[in-house]
Every structure is written in C-alpha cells, then in structure tokens.
Amino acid sequence: MPLRTEPITINIGPQHPSTHGVFRLRATFDGEVILDVEPVFGYLHRGSEKLAEERTYTQVITLTDRLDYVSSMINNQAYVLACEKLAGVEAPERGMYLRVIAAELQRIASHLVATGFLINDLGAFATPLMYCFREREKILDLFEMLCGARITVTYMRVGGVFQDAPEDFWPALKTFVKEMPIYLDEYEQLLSENEVLLIRTKGVAILSTETAINGSVSGPVLRSTGYPWDLRKADPYELYDRFDFEIPVGERGDNYDRYKVRISEMRQSIRILEQCMQQIEPGLVKTDVPLLLRPPVGEAYAHVESPKGELGFYVVSDGGVSPYRLKIRAPSFINLTILRELVIGLKLADMIVAFGSIDVNMGEVDR
Amino acid sequence: MPSLLEGNALFRGIYCWLAANEGNSGPGPCGEALRDGLLPVGWEWVAFFAAGLGIVMLLINVFLLLVMLYTYMERRLLGRFQARLGPNRTGPFGLLQPVADAIKLLTKEDLVPAGADRLLFNLAPIAMIVPVLLVLAVLPFGENSFLANINVGILFVVAVTSVNTLAMFMAGWASGNRYAMFGGMRAVAQLVSYEVPVVLSIVGILLYTGSLSMVDIVEAQRIPFILLQPLAFFIFIAGSSAEMNRSPFDLVEAESEIVSGYHTEYSGMKFGLFQLAEFGAVLVTSGVMATLFLKGWEGPVLPSHLWFLIKVFFFAFIMIWVRATLPRLRIDQVMDFAWKFLFPLSLINMFVTAVEVLVWEEPTLVQLWAMVGINLLVAVVGIVAFSFVFKRRGLSPSRVTPPLVVVEGD
Amino acid sequence: MYGLGIAKGFLLTMKVFLRKPVTVKYPEQRLKQHPRFRGEEFVWYEERCTGCASCAKYCPLGIIKIVTHPGDQKPLEGGFYDIDVFDIDIGRCMFCGLCVEACPYDALFMGSGFEEGQYRRDDLIITVDRLRAAEKHPSTWFRPQLEDSGYDPHKDSPASWEKVGRENWPFHLSSRPPGPADSDEGAQE
Ligand code: SF4
Ligand code: SF4
C-alpha cells in the first residue's frame, strides 16, 4: 500500500537566520526535496527612487549609500557617474583614482561579506565569517580615514570626491595591500580544499550560461558560468582601461565556482589597488561643481561593475535641483530571479547555500 | 551493608550514620561510635535510600556545575578560535556568564504555541535531560568512584542515550511548527543511523575486555584503547558527535536552514533544559570516551578524579575545535556517511579485532604493541581505501527529479 | 584523498587560536578613531555662526531647526543674527555631514564621539544650550585647516573657535594648498 504523502509548504523568512535581510521564500517541499519556491520581495522597500525625486543631486548620494549597504562606495560611484554624464562634467584624474581605490576596497569588503555568509549558511559556526569580518574591519578603517564613516560613506561627489585622502591613508593602504593576500591564502587554506565544503558545493545548483544570460544575470554569478563579462573591461568607465587585471571565470557555474570566483576577484582587486598606488599623482580631486547642482534637461545612464553585478543608475533631469526620475538597476534583484531555476529538485540545505552564493543584498533588492 | 555500594566513602558515611547495623563496625568512617545509628533495626532500607538520594543529588549538582563551566569554556574557546574574545563581562573573566544565562532563561516567558500538543511539548525537555543524567550512574569518575558498577554498564549507556531520539522527535512533533518537524524528522533518521556504527565500534573493545562493565573496561586497558582501537575511536567520535548534533553533523538544529530545529518553539527554561542536555551530553560523551579509550581515571601523580576531568575536558576541547572548523553536511550525505562509510569500517574493525583476540588469547605486552601496529595499519588503510571508494562512487546526486506529487484536496 | 583539506583547516583554526584576539574589551579598551571620524554630537561655534541656515537647508532630512532674530554685531564677519534655537535631532540624523559641508562660515563641525545613547527619544535632540555648553572636540572632517594643524579631537584639548580657523584655499579642489594660499596665514599653525 503506498503511503499517502503530501508536500509541505514553509515560509522561509521574512525572519530567518539566513535570508540575508528580510526576504521571504515560500517553498514547497516533498520531504527535504524542493518542489517549488516563490520569492516574495518588498519587506525592505523604502522607496529610494521616489525619495530621490525630492532631494537635491548631492543629497541623493546619501540615499545610494543605503541601497546595497555592504558596497556603498560603488553605489556612490555609479550614481555620481550618471550625474556627471548628465551635467557634462568630468572628475579630475586624482579624483578618479581615489574613486577607483575606494571602489576596489569596497569590492573586497563586499566579497568578504559574501564569502563569510556563504560559509555561515553552509553551517560552519561563524568561524570563516569572523575571519572575513576581521579583514573587512580593516577596509572599514581605511574608509574611516577617507571619509569619516565606515558603512554609509557619502564619499563621492559629482565631479570627484569630497576631499583628498589624509596623509596617513597611504601607508595604511600599503600595509593592507601587503597583508590581504596572506589572509586570502588563509581562507583558501581553511575552505578551498575542505572536503565538507567541496561535497556541499561542487556540482550543486549549476547555472548554465544561457540561463544566466536569458535571466539577465550579471556579476560573479554570470562569470562563474565561464562567461567573462565584466563592465570594467567590457565598457571601461573611469580609469579601468589603465589597469592590468584579469577577469576570473568559473567552469561550471555551481556554488563552488561562485565562491571561487569571488576569492579570485579579491586578488585581482588587490592588483588594481597596487597599480593605483603606483600611478596616482598629486592634483585636483574635484572639479568645481556647486553643492546645489542644476544639470541641464536630459537623461543619462551609467553603469558600474558592482560586487553583485551590473549596477546602473538612470537619471532624468528637468533642469531643476533634484532628479525628475531616478531608476536603479539593482543587480541583486535581477540575479535573485534565477533562484527558482537553481534550486528546484535540490534539498533544503542546498537551497540556502545557493541563495547565499548568489549573494543578494535585500537593501538593493527592495530599494 | 549492601555490597554493591561499598566502594563509595560518602555513601558509606551517610549510610552508617543513619542505619544501626551489625556490619557497621570495621574500618572507615563508621567506627565504634556509630554502631547505633539513628534508625531502628529493620529500617536500613531508609538509610540506603537516603544515602543514595544524597549522593545522587551531589553528583547531579556537581555535574550541572561542570556543564555550566563547559558552556562558558565552549563560548570562550570558540571565541578564541574565531579571533575574538568571547563572553568576558559578567564576573571575573566572564565566569558568571552561565549564571546570568540561567537567570535570563528562568525569567523568560514560558510560551506554548497554540497548535502544540501540550503534554508532549512539556514532556520533551524532561525526556531530553534525563538520559544524560542517567549515564552518570555508571560512569566511573575516579578510582572507586561510581554510583553503580553494573555488569552491563556500557550497554546501559548505549540504551539510555538513545532515548534522546524520542525526546527530539517528541519536541519536533509536538511543537506544531514545520521547522521543528523538519528537525524531528532529521533527528530520527540521523540518530538511529549513527547508533549502529557507534555500537559496533564499541564491540571491538568488548572483545578485548570480555566485560561490559565500565570499571572492568578501564582496568583492562594496559595500553589505552585509543591506540589499540584507533579505527573504533574514529568511528566513535564521529558517530557520537552525530548523535549529539555537533558540527559537522548538526543538521537537527541546523541554524541556517531550519532555524533551530526541534526546539524552535521553546523558550524560557524549557529551552534551557534542551541546551543543558546538549552541553551535558558533550561532557558525558567525553566521559564515556575517556573511559573507553583513554584509561578513564587512571594516570600518574595527580588524583584520579582530576585525571578523569582532564581527560573529559580534553575530548571536549577537541569537539569545540571541530565545531569551530567544519561546515555542515547535507542530510543525504550524513546518511551516506553513516551507512556507506562508518558502518562497513566498523564491521572491518570488529572482524580484525575478533581475529586478533582469537589468535592471541592472553596477549603479552609485546603482542599488544603488535596489535597496535596492525590496528593502526588497518585504520589508515581502511579509511583511505574507503574514502577512495566513497569519492569515486560519489555521493547521492544533489539534484533529484522531483516526484510527481498529486495531492487531492480533501 | 579525503581528509587532507580538513586537516589543513584544523591547522589554521589552531593557528588563529594561538594568536591574540582582534577584538577588544570595549569600555576599558578602545579602538582609535581617525580624526576625520564623523561623530555624533555636533560642534557649533556661535561666534562664527551667522544664522544663515545653509546647514538646515542642505540637510537631506531637514532635522536642523534654526530660529534667529536680528542681533548686535558679531565678533566676526557677516554676523547680524542672534540664534534663539539651533536644534539638531540626532535621533534621525544619519551623520552624512552635508550640513557641515554646506556651512559657509566654518561654524559647524562634526563631533568626534559615538556614545550618545539616551533612554528617551527626546533626549536625542541636541539643543542650542547643549551645543553652547558642550566641550568642543571638532572632527577634522571637511575642515582641512584643522587637519593640517594636526589636531586630533580624540586626544587634544577642546578647540576654541579661534583655534579651528577658517579654510582659505579651495581645499576640495586639490591635494595640496595651491601656491598663493600657502603664503596666506592659512591654517592655524
Ligand atoms: S549630518 Fe546629515 S543628516 Fe545629520 S544633520 Fe547634518 S546634514 Fe542632516
Ligand atoms: S550654515 Fe553655518 S553659519 Fe549658517 S546657520 Fe548653519 S552653522 Fe550657522
């Protein structure tokens, strides 16, 4: 006699230890196997795009800090690039270098968070997370030197950065660049060959390049499928055409590749930082753009390679002091849409890991 | 005086003080002065009972104090493994942290979810903690220090600890919460599976000692069994950490997946009891491991109780270390590990040991060392060979085609 | 072979175990803040403030409340208004510093502390009296003249309004004060 079974539906989230914010997954299980998942967004919706319409162009920078709060520098960067396009100004070279330095530091910090939480989702009791946060803390210290804040930086301005870096920033950056590869080696020693991690992540939640491209996925998730698409190379903004770096790609697009791509990207970021430190020269850090900017009527779109993927800002100006419309292309939001394809047929535990390996940030998803 | 409890000085003291008994005379704390006890003749059983109660109370309280110490130690050491400090605010070095935790748990509201099965829900924490305390009865924690040296000691331990499965399932089922039910389901699957290799790994030891009594096992260890039975030790430590839900087998309460598994819905001291049972289980299992594999209380110079404690905390330290390092396995991998890896290995270990015992019936020390060599070889070869097989065959595929489930609404 | 990777991990955790922890015991030991740290309490110099309310206008959240009346001559340039109310509601402030950036007279500075916890929400409003009475440890954020003088708000004594000085070169435009400004009195030496 066959047993009568029934699928179970569980709401994972909005309050759950591993939803990386407030995110809800309505998942249907057959035992431990996932039959269906349905992501439910919107618990962290703050209406950033609408709020931007009644703030001046400079004040909107503070809003972008809070989109993806683990990579605020890069949000700043994308927004000011869009505004610069709109206003037709260009940042001076030193300003751009400082922006690149800040952005690459932020990329390392964000990848550290992603890696740490991914391993935490795998069930290592917070150890790799703590190690990652140890290094992230050093980056945040550097940010504090640059701009006085650690998370919500408000560092960049339309036309450059608000102020030059202090004297003691450079030696600190040098030490960091020297030490960071050692710590990266440590992570790899702890994680990359750990069999438990390998059998949990290798070959699990495989994403094919076609699916990824069809789903408009970008960033490390796309690169892990073996497709070398990086806006820093594909459409070099700021000074990225001056640096020599590689785009690490994965082989199969499984959880392990996504982890590995992030680790390799951190190494590339360090390479960029080193080159920045060699190339940077004294000079202006900001063109003279008034605090109360009034760009001409028009529209502009600028995109950058954020740690999560292609982050784009589309700004429309009606000639006033605040944007007429601001649209944010949030990579986390778009990457999250492939979660369903990834996890159907997997076990509950793998779904959590797959979700962690996409590395979304709810602040950005819900905006 | 009942001979069973003769070994224990405290017990004898209480007993003699209460009971008027012919047998009281003799060496020890019951001298001539105590020949006439407080109780009339014929009421010795009360004295027996009272003495037993006294010592049980003492033992449990000391044990719970040790558990508190252990929770503190676990948190501090985990902190150090993670490059941070760990609790250091309450009392000197944060030593009072467990006390503060207990007070906090006691003053918390005791919630019972509306959909819960009240009786089972309330019973589960008790069913969880009792087996842990029961194991203490047969654990020899020092020279001549044990509550009962029953001749089926290790069997008793195995039997009693498997009640935990039931408690977890009760908690998971009775909570009326789906996360808890997941936890309960996982608990049953995992704990029952791991029972098998653990028990089989003990069999190897029993073949050497020829006795199930814990005291006999300690005394039979001319060479610590950790050397003589390395494979068994490996299986035992892996299996028992799975039974205690320790990392990397902590699926039952996998925090990142099912919130906290079977005790998701518990709050206040009921939750505290679960925690107590879990941390207690670590200590108890370390105690059993020390007894089985590391000569129990025996050791030079230091007093025997201290030696026992040192060994217990040594094993506890190893478990903390493991917890700080390893990620968690998936449920199917955990099951594979039990049935495809540990189970055959434990059979091999049993077979090899049986042959050895057959060949050398009364082994001399040299022969014992020969056995150590053979067993180490078997352990290494066995583990390596099996990991190759395991690796090549691969684990179960991560993605299974979802079965077509047809549910009729009714 | 299985196990080698795990063993490596064990070695690493043991290595970290033997190292010194990176965290500190907070109230007794403190990490050093950079002088640029944007702290919670604001530093405001009434002697310099003209009551122009640029700061209030540029605050993205509009949490600075200024009430003025025409007053006597101020010790410094342009001062014609006396301040009645200058409230900053730091319960809603996000410490972006735009108000400091907007102040044309260098009268408003970010603070340097971070321990502004209060039991009641109302206590989080920094009133004008509190601003007047507070010990002044201005952050060097956006005030390069302070930074050049090597002032460290976490160590040095409170800075008076004369000491904090005015910036007299377009600092944000360059990494060094350009030539002519150098010859000026410039930052307080
Ligand atoms: S720091 Fe920002 S939020 Fe706070 S008062 Fe100044 S402008 Fe407003
Ligand atoms: S901007 Fe400066 S001068 Fe004007 S009111 Fe604010 S603090 Fe005073």
Side-chain angles (χ1 to χ4, degrees):
Chain A
M1 188 195 85
L3 287 173
R4 186 173 164 279
T5 57
E6 241 181 64
I8 326 170
T9 303
I10 295 189
N11 272 317
I12 296 177
Q15 291 172 0
H16 185 278
S18 53
T19 49
H20 301 229
V22 275
F23 173 55
R24 181 168 145 217
L25 268 173
R26 198 175 315 134
T28 312
F29 292 97
D30 172 33
E32 289 256 350
V33 180
I34 294 161
L35 299 179
D36 194 13
V37 291
E38 184 190 337
V40 185
F41 310 125
Y43 288 91
L44 203 59
H45 179 64
R46 295 152 299 175
S48 300
E49 289 174 1
K50 191 73 192 165
L51 283 175
E53 289 170 18
E54 51 187 47
R55 276 169 171 60
T56 67
Y57 283 90
T58 310
Q59 287 174 348
V60 172
I61 297 174
T62 63
L63 287 177
T64 64
D65 282 339
R66 286 152 180 82
L67 288 175
D68 175 359
Y69 37 82
V70 292
S71 67
S72 6
M73 283 288 187
I74 292 178
N75 299 345
N76 275 207
Q77 192 189 19
Y79 172 71
V80 298
L81 278 174
C83 287
E84 279 169 11
K85 239 188 209 173
L86 192 62
V89 293
E90 181 141 318
E93 205 162 87
R94 187 177 173 89
M96 286 205 202
Y97 270 113
L98 281 171
R99 280 196 211 162
V100 170
I101 288 173
E104 291 307 316
L105 282 173
Q106 187 73 75
R107 191 181 314 280
I108 298 175
S110 174
H111 281 342
L112 282 175
V113 174
T115 313
F117 276 108
L118 170 65
I119 311 299
N120 208 33
D121 287 346
L122 272 168
F125 185 78
T127 310
L129 179 67
M130 291 291 163
Y131 294 176
C132 289
F133 267 52
R134 182 182 62 193
E135 269 66 72
R136 177 170 178 259
E137 205 60 19
K138 289 176 190 149
I139 296 175
L140 297 188
D141 282 344
L142 288 176
F143 286 169
E144 190 183 305
M145 286 181 189
L146 275 182
C147 63
R150 302 163 70 83
I151 309 280
T152 51
V153 287
T154 325
Y155 176 55
M156 297 173 193
R157 297 284 184 278
V158 181
V161 300
F162 87 98
Q163 201 178 326
D164 200 5
E167 295 289 300
D168 47 356
F169 175 75
W170 300 106
L173 180 64
K174 204 171 221 162
T175 343
F176 174 78
V177 166
K178 216 163 38 195
E179 278 177 359
M180 192 59 205
I182 303 174
Y183 288 118
L184 280 175
D185 289 343
E186 274 194 5
Y187 304 146
E188 296 231 45
Q189 187 190 347
L190 177 63
L191 301 170
S192 290
E193 287 168 45
N194 190 326
E195 278 81 0
V196 179
L197 185 114
L198 289 184
I199 58 173
R200 278 299 302 279
T201 52
K202 273 225 157 145
V204 177
I206 297 173
L207 179 67
S208 68
T209 312
E210 289 97 76
T211 325
I213 291 175
N214 285 345
S216 190
V217 165
S218 51
V221 184
L222 174 61
R223 289 194 283 277
S224 74
T225 66
Y227 190 76
W229 174 259
D230 188 322
L231 285 175
R232 290 176 293 174
K233 283 255 200 241
D235 177 18
Y237 52 95
E238 305 233 79
L239 303 167
Y240 278 108
D241 43 1
R242 297 193 191 176
F243 304 120
D244 171 31
F245 65 100
E246 283 148 26
I247 308 176
V249 290
E251 288 157 18
R252 293 190 289 174
D254 54 11
N255 282 339
Y256 184 75
D257 281 350
R258 288 192 274 276
Y259 151 78
K260 199 73 186 174
V261 162
R262 290 206 176 92
I263 294 269
S264 318
E265 267 184 30
M266 285 193 248
R267 294 192 193 277
Q268 297 303 326
S269 290
I270 291 170
R271 267 179 73 187
I272 296 177
L273 283 174
E274 275 168 354
Q275 292 169 35
C276 273
M277 286 192 325
Q278 282 164 7
Q279 293 176 9
I280 192 166
E281 274 164 17
L284 301 177
V285 298
K286 189 178 173 228
T287 39
D288 203 0
V289 176
L291 204 54
L292 196 66
L293 176 68
R294 279 176 205 269
V297 182
E299 51 188 58
Y301 176 77
H303 53 187
V304 302
E305 182 69 30
S306 96
K308 270 87 180 176
E310 176 185 344
L311 172 68
F313 276 82
Y314 177 63
V315 193
V316 182
S317 160
D318 59 355
V321 291
S322 52
Y324 176 74
R325 173 82 170 95
L326 179 74
K327 168 82 182 94
I328 305 161
R329 185 213 188 268
S332 297
F333 176 63
I334 292 162
N335 289 358
L336 194 51
T337 50
I338 52 148
L339 180 68
R340 188 166 181 276
E341 254 106 289
L342 280 188
V343 300
I344 286 188
L346 295 185
K347 305 256 177 349
L348 167 60
D350 285 337
M351 177 180 77
I352 303 285
V353 178
F355 177 60
S357 75
I358 296 178
D359 182 25
V360 298
N361 183 297
M362 294 325 281
E364 198 175 59
V365 173
D366 296 338
R367 300 196 284 289
Chain B
M1 183 179 332
S3 60
L4 186 63
L5 299 151
E6 222 156 37
N8 197 294
L10 182 83
F11 184 90
R12 199 166 61 214
I14 301 176
Y15 181 78
C16 301
W17 180 56
L18 288 174
N21 197 319
E22 295 294 306
N24 274 3
S25 56
C30 331
E32 296 284 316
L34 284 173
R35 185 175 302 252
D36 307 318
L38 297 175
L39 291 166
V41 182
W43 286 77
E44 286 88 5
W45 61 272
V46 176
F48 185 76
F49 197 69
L53 209 63
I55 195 144
V56 166
M57 292 285 280
L58 190 77
L59 197 65
I60 288 179
N61 281 314
V62 169
F63 174 71
L64 291 184
L65 274 179
L66 277 180
V67 173
M68 283 171 102
L69 187 71
Y70 171 72
T71 57
Y72 166 77
M73 175 177 130
E74 164 138 4
R75 294 171 66 179
R76 276 304 282 239
L77 293 185
L78 264 182
R80 288 305 302 273
F81 276 121
Q82 298 172 352
R84 56 190 175 87
L85 281 166
N88 58 44
R89 294 282 101 190
T90 5
F93 308 108
L95 265 172
L96 293 180
Q97 187 65 40
V99 181
D101 286 345
I103 293 173
K104 182 201 122 187
L105 284 177
L106 279 171
T107 48
K108 268 192 139 178
E109 190 185 354
D110 180 22
L111 290 170
V112 181
D117 182 333
R118 282 194 98 84
L119 179 70
L120 283 184
F121 187 81
N122 289 330
L123 212 57
I126 303 170
M128 185 83 182
I129 187 108
V130 165
V132 175
L133 299 179
L134 273 182
V135 176
L136 292 179
V138 293
L139 204 62
F141 47 87
E143 206 162 5
N144 284 333
S145 309
F146 42 81
L147 268 195
N149 178 17
I150 54 179
N151 52 11
V152 287
I154 189 68
L155 195 61
F156 177 81
V157 172
V158 169
V160 152
T161 46
S162 45
V163 175
N164 272 357
T165 321
L166 203 59
M168 285 180 199
F169 191 65
M170 267 157 76
W173 175 256
S175 297
N177 174 319
R178 288 174 184 176
Y179 289 122
M181 204 172 71
F182 260 96
M185 269 158 39
R186 286 180 175 188
V188 173
Q190 179 184 328
L191 268 63
V192 169
S193 307
Y194 275 87
E195 203 83 0
V196 180
V198 166
V199 173
L200 286 183
S201 73
I202 298 175
V203 170
I205 291 171
L206 301 184
L207 285 174
Y208 281 117
T209 56
S211 164
L212 285 166
S213 147
M214 304 281 266
V215 179
D216 289 353
I217 290 174
V218 173
E219 277 162 1
Q221 295 183 46
R222 274 188 285 168
I223 296 174
F225 279 154
I226 190 170
L227 292 176
L228 206 54
Q229 290 273 295
L231 194 53
F233 176 70
F234 172 72
I235 296 166
F236 191 87
I237 195 165
S240 55
S241 47
E243 284 194 32
M244 289 181 298
N245 306 319
R246 300 281 301 185
S247 175
F249 308 104
D250 52 348
L251 287 123
V252 174
E253 48 197 67
E255 170 208 312
S256 62
E257 295 153 25
I258 48 174
V259 188
S260 108
Y262 61 93
H263 58 60
T264 306
E265 288 289 349
Y266 284 85
S267 65
M269 205 53 211
K270 278 187 221 153
F271 171 77
L273 280 184
F274 277 119
Q275 291 295 313
L276 205 63
E278 250 160 50
F279 286 117
V282 175
L283 275 194
V284 160
T285 313
S286 305
V288 173
M289 266 194 279
T291 313
L292 290 184
F293 293 102
L294 221 56
K295 283 182 146 188
W297 69 82
E298 280 177 12
V301 190
L302 296 173
S304 65
H305 297 83
L306 202 59
W307 264 116
F308 188 72
L309 268 188
I310 289 172
K311 285 170 186 172
V312 166
F313 276 95
F314 167 71
F315 281 118
F317 177 79
I318 289 185
M319 287 187 205
I320 294 171
W321 191 7
V322 172
R323 182 172 179 208
T325 309
L326 290 183
R328 184 185 302 131
L329 288 162
R330 203 169 54 211
I331 179 75
D332 51 329
Q333 292 162 348
V334 165
M335 302 301 276
D336 280 359
F337 189 67
W339 290 107
K340 298 187 188 161
F341 192 84
L342 290 185
F343 180 61
L345 276 181
S346 61
L347 285 182
I348 291 177
N349 178 56
M350 206 169 88
F351 177 74
V352 172
T353 316
V355 170
E356 280 169 1
V357 172
L358 262 185
V359 174
W360 293 303
E361 254 178 50
E362 290 284 324
T364 61
L365 209 57
V366 182
Q367 285 169 341
L368 267 182
W369 280 109
M371 284 191 202
V372 170
I374 294 171
N375 285 347
L376 265 177
L377 200 72
V378 169
V380 172
V381 170
I383 292 176
V384 170
F386 261 85
S387 36
F388 270 119
V389 176
F390 206 49
K391 200 167 193 170
R392 220 194 37 212
R393 276 244 238 84
L395 298 141
S396 359
S398 75
R399 187 184 287 253
V400 293
T401 325
L404 246 186
V405 180
V406 186
V407 200
E408 279 92 39
D410 49 358
Chain C
M1 193 199 128
Y2 270 125
L4 277 188
I6 292 179
K8 271 191 197 166
F10 275 114
L11 275 185
L12 179 73
T13 38
M14 189 37 99
K15 209 162 86 191
V16 176
F17 180 75
L18 299 175
R19 267 187 221 152
K20 227 168 120 323
V22 290
T23 50
V24 296
K25 300 182 178 172
Y26 158 58
E28 293 99 38
Q29 304 166 334
R30 281 150 187 279
L31 296 173
K32 208 180 140 305
Q33 254 80 40
H34 195 263
R36 267 195 193 179
F37 178 68
R38 303 205 292 250
E40 287 196 333
E41 83 287 6
F42 286 83
V43 173
W44 176 65
Y45 293 102
E46 196 179 9
E47 295 88 339
R48 264 190 209 291
C49 180
T50 58
C52 69
S54 292
C55 47
K57 217 172 337 177
Y58 278 93
C59 173
L61 306 173
I63 56 175
I64 303 180
K65 180 181 174 189
I66 298 177
V67 178
T68 56
H69 68 265
D72 307 332
Q73 198 65 25
K74 275 285 179 65
L76 258 184
E77 73 271 22
F80 289 105
Y81 286 93
D82 278 349
I83 311 284
D84 298 328
V85 178
F86 195 103
D87 289 355
I88 307 176
D89 179 3
I90 62 163
R92 286 164 60 204
C93 178
M94 54 188 179
F95 309 102
C96 59
L98 287 184
C99 49
V100 176
E101 199 170 326
C103 176
Y105 299 100
D106 284 17
L108 191 61
F109 290 70
M110 294 306 287
S112 52
F114 54 91
E115 289 156 322
E116 279 293 307
Q118 302 287 358
Y119 284 105
R120 294 174 48 223
R121 204 165 253 267
D122 284 355
D123 296 344
L124 282 171
I125 298 173
I126 303 186
T127 59
V128 67
D129 301 325
R130 240 178 96 189
L131 279 173
R132 278 184 186 128
E135 270 209 349
K136 296 189 171 20
H137 289 281
S139 156
T140 64
W141 188 83
F142 211 78
R143 296 284 181 254
Q145 75 274 17
L146 256 189
E147 200 161 278
D148 283 356
S149 70
Y151 179 74
D152 184 345
H154 305 283
K155 276 194 242 130
D156 299 346
S157 51
S160 66
W161 68 275
E162 287 119 332
K163 177 139 186 272
V164 295
R166 290 289 309 267
E167 58 139 313
N168 55 1
W169 45 275
F171 61 88
H172 62 272
L173 295 179
S174 89
S175 59
R176 287 262 163 277
D182 258 340
S183 54
D184 262 14
E185 250 182 84
Q188 296 282 322
E189 236 65 37

